[in-house]
Structure formats: structure tokens, C-alpha cells
Amino acid sequence: MSAEPLSLSQARALLLSPLGPVARAGRDASRPRVSFEFFPPKSDEAEANLWKAVERLAPLKPEFVSVTYGAGGSTRERTHRTVTRILAETALKPAAHLTCVEASRGEIDEVIQEYKAAGVTHIVALRGDPPGGSGIGGVYQPRADGYANATELAEAISRVGGFEITVGAYPEKHPESPSIDHDIEVLKAKVDAGATRAISQFFFDMDAFLRFRDRVRAAGIGIPLIPGIMPVSNFTGLKRMSAACGAAVPDWLAMHFDGLDDDPETRKLLAASVAAETCARLQEEGFADFHFYTLNRADLVYAICRVLGVREIAQ
């Protein structure tokens, strides 16, 4: 049986309770550092929505904003245009995603040089997913003339020089990895190749993330490990994304959203509450950096940042 949807007043009470996330998050006097991820638009309407999100979040002065790269390199040109426009028209620091798939080493090296010439100084180096989920047995297969993985890609970016290099981390194990230990070995190799920070896949199992943090540090990996935060307002979409990347969806989260398919306003309030609670506990564990997967929608992320004490900074 589905749970009864929360009323708006009940959801607000959950968010604003003296023991709730608003009271707990942002208690540290220092201002948390935030960054935002966008994806390149596929249409004129989507481009307008993207720039509304950029304009809404820009006054919060994030450390950087990243722009994703579609599966199989399908958005390469749109990613480049979006990054260079952010660089030209805003004061934001853009980070361009770059992947290994469907491109030769020479083609990728050319993209790196183009970013350097444009003044981009930060690249998010990822192996990437095969186009359409292709690959033998559903497993990624690198091109013979391409970079095989994110470690090789980070090495290529390092050879050019002048870039910050961000890589991915998987606190609940990469879907193709045999173990967390293997993932940590891969992360260490990426650091040795030049990675300067790691951003985690989104997660909802806090204990799993903290165990991963402890194991990363025990392995001698000292670069910043930034938690990736996914505000959830579309639970159906979340389940689809979680299945693809291996992130667990806890029963308590499913119960929060049960019966709310036709109640978007309550879903938004719950999304803000869950994300703020996650950030509050991470702050208690010493984290001061948060990377938000915005899905090109600014309102939820803006509200969560306000809860954390991140306010607009005057020019």
C-alpha cells in the first residue's frame, strides 16, 4: 500500500524542525565550497533553460562549474561551445568533461589543445560510457587507437600541462569493477597520472561513503575527495540513474517518495531536506566541499546552498 502523501506543511516542518537539516547544516562559521555540474543543451529551449540555471547559481560564486560529455562523446561539440561560452560571458571557472570513447588519441589531444588555447584550465577526465551501452557483453571496449581509461587520459592532459585534473570516484564500487580495493587502486593510479581532485558518484548510503573515504586515506591518497550530491525530485529517474551507476537506493529514501508521483511540490521539499541532511552529516565529518549534480535545474540547488550558508557574494 502506498503511503499517504505529505502535506506541504508537514514537509516544511520536516525541513525546518529544530532538529532537522536546516538547523544542523551550515552551523560551521566557515563558508562551504560548492561546485555545480551542468550538461550541454540539445535544443534552443534547453539552452535557454541551461543559461537560466547558470545565471541563478552564478552569484553563489562556486569554486567551478563542470559541463558533462555525453555517452560515446555524443556531445563533444556542444560541451566545447558551452564551456567556452561560460568562459567568455561569465566570471565562472568552467571545467570541461572529457572522455576516452569513440575518439583516437590524436583527436583527444586536439581537444585538450583547443581547451588550452581557449583559456580553459580545468578538465574532468573520465573514461566514459560506450554509446548506447554498446560493448562486448555490455562492457566498455576501448578503441585500439584511443586512450584506454581515465588514467591514460589524465596522463595525456598532464603532458600538455597547465590544467587542474578532476577524476571520478565510486564509493559503492564502479559497476564494472571486481571490488572496492580495485577501485582504490585505480584512483591511486589516476592520482599518480596527475589527478588533483576526485568527485564521487552520487550516493545515499552515508556509511558506505565514509568507509570509502577512510579506505582512500588509508591507501595514502591525499587529494581532495569531494562528495557528489544529487537532489532527488524525480524518484523514477533516480532509480534509472542509480541502476546504471551502481548507487544504492535505500528503503528509507523510497519510502520518503512513495505515493508522491503527482505531488511535485512535496517532492521538492523532500529533495531539499534529504540533500541538506546529507550535507549536514558530511560537515560533521569534516567535509567543506560539495559538488551538486544540477540536471540544469537551479532552484533546488540554490535552496540547499542557502541552507548550507552559501550566500550571494557581491561583485
Side-chain angles (χ1 to χ4, degrees), residues 13 27 37 68 75 112 136 150 160 206 217 226 232 241 247 295:
R27 290 184 302 187
E37 180 176 296
T68 64
T75 66
I112 296 169
I136 297 173
V160 174
M206 179 68 70
R217 297 306 183 218
I226 301 176
V232 184
M241 288 187 287
L295 302 180

Side-chain angles (χ1 to χ4, degrees), residues 18-315:
L19 299 178
V22 169
R24 297 174 60 236
R27 290 184 302 187
D28 191 327
S30 61
R31 183 182 192 270
R33 294 176 293 270
V34 297
S35 54
F36 307 127
E37 180 176 296
F38 302 105
F39 59 83
K42 297 182 180 181
S43 66
D44 291 344
E45 181 181 3
E47 183 165 10
N49 289 335
L50 166 63
W51 285 98
K52 286 179 183 176
V54 170
E55 290 166 0
R56 175 72 162 153
L57 296 173
L60 298 178
K61 296 295 188 293
E63 296 295 300
F64 63 91
V65 296
S66 66
V67 182
T68 64
Y69 206 73
S74 58
T75 66
R76 181 185 306 165
E77 294 303 319
R78 291 196 299 275
T79 298
H80 190 276
R81 285 198 303 272
T82 302
V83 167
T84 53
R85 183 178 173 187
I86 288 173
L87 191 64
E89 298 182 18
T90 78
L92 298 171
K93 299 176 182 178
H97 285 220
L98 188 59
T99 72
C100 304
V101 298
E102 293 298 294
S104 68
R105 288 184 289 272
E107 289 169 335
I108 291 173
D109 291 347
E110 184 177 347
V111 172
I112 296 169
Q113 292 290 353
E114 288 174 354
Y115 279 131
K116 189 175 182 69
V120 176
T121 60
H122 186 174
I123 292 178
V124 181
L126 304 168
R127 189 204 69 181
D129 299 318
S134 63
I136 297 173
V139 177
Y140 171 80
Q141 293 293 319
R143 275 178 53 153
D145 62 347
Y147 293 115
N149 50 48
T151 301
E152 291 188 4
L153 179 56
E155 288 175 341
I157 298 167
S158 294
R159 284 195 296 270
V160 174
F163 289 102
E164 294 180 67
I165 304 173
T166 292
V167 294
Y170 297 85
E172 296 173 274
K173 193 174 77 64
H174 189 284
E176 297 173 25
S177 172
S179 68
I180 290 286
D181 287 336
H182 178 265
D183 281 347
I184 292 174
E185 290 174 5
V186 169
L187 180 58
K188 190 173 190 306
K190 289 188 281 192
V191 173
D192 292 342
T196 54
R197 74 165 59 75
I199 294 174
S200 83
Q201 181 59 265
F202 68 85
F203 61 93
F204 300 99
D205 186 337
M206 179 68 70
D207 292 336
F209 177 79
L210 294 175
R211 285 194 300 269
F212 179 76
R213 184 270 313 269
D214 292 344
R215 293 174 71 171
V216 164
R217 297 306 183 218
I221 300 171
I223 64 170
L225 175 63
I226 301 176
I229 307 298
M230 175 75 80
V232 184
S233 59
N234 181 339
F235 190 70
T236 300
L238 172 71
K239 288 190 292 184
R240 184 170 57 250
M241 288 187 287
S242 297
C245 70
V249 179
D251 290 343
W252 61 261
L253 186 63
M255 289 177 65
H256 275 349
F257 289 92
D258 187 24
L260 297 178
D261 291 350
D262 299 321
D263 192 349
E265 291 303 318
T266 302
R267 291 203 311 268
K268 287 180 181 180
L269 287 167
L270 285 171
S273 178
V274 168
E277 177 67 24
T278 298
C279 293
R281 184 170 173 195
L282 288 167
Q283 285 181 309
E284 291 168 353
E285 291 286 340
F287 287 90
D289 296 86
F290 303 97
H291 184 73
F292 290 95
Y293 298 106
T294 71
L295 302 180
N296 289 8
R297 294 193 293 268
D299 287 351
L300 264 179
V301 173
Y302 183 88
I304 296 161
C305 286
R306 295 281 297 188
V307 170
L308 292 175
V310 178
R311 303 288 193 270
E312 296 87 343
I313 298 178
Q315 296 287 348

